Amino acid sequence: IGKQYSRVRIGIGKSEDVSVASEHVLDNFSENEEKYISDITNNIITSFSILIKKNLDLFSSKVNQT
C-alpha cells in the first residue's frame, strides 16, 4: 500500500520536567491547549482539499498558521 494515503499528526509538545512526561501525555488539555487544538482542527478542515491533492508542503503551511 505504501504512500497511497496521507496522515495528519498533531503533536502534544514536550514536558519541561522529564520525570512527569507520562502525566504530560495523559493529562487533560489546558484551556490554552484546547484553543490551539481547535484552531489546528479548523485549519485541517479548511485545508482538506489541499491534502487530497497531496500538496503536502502547502497543507502543512496552512495547518500550522495559528
Side-chain angles (χ1 to χ4, degrees):
I1 296 179
K3 297 258 182 184
Q4 294 178 2
Y5 66 93
S6 297
R7 174 175 60 183
V8 177
R9 298 185 298 177
I10 300 173
I12 60 166
K14 294 183 180 180
S15 172
E16 294 177 13
D17 184 354
V18 190
S19 66
V20 293
S22 63
E23 289 179 27
H24 174 74
V25 171
L26 299 174
D27 275 351
N28 293 328
F29 293 123
S30 68
E31 279 186 41
N32 188 39
E33 290 168 327
E34 284 185 23
K35 179 176 179 348
Y36 180 74
I37 291 293
S38 178
D39 291 345
I40 291 290
T41 303
N42 288 331
N43 289 351
I44 290 170
I45 292 166
T46 59
S47 302
F48 200 71
S49 63
I50 298 169
L51 179 63
I52 291 172
K53 294 176 187 172
K54 298 218 180 261
N55 191 340
L56 303 181
D57 289 336
L58 180 59
F59 176 78
S60 179
S61 173
K62 295 283 186 184
V63 167
N64 290 308
Q65 292 178 354
T66 56

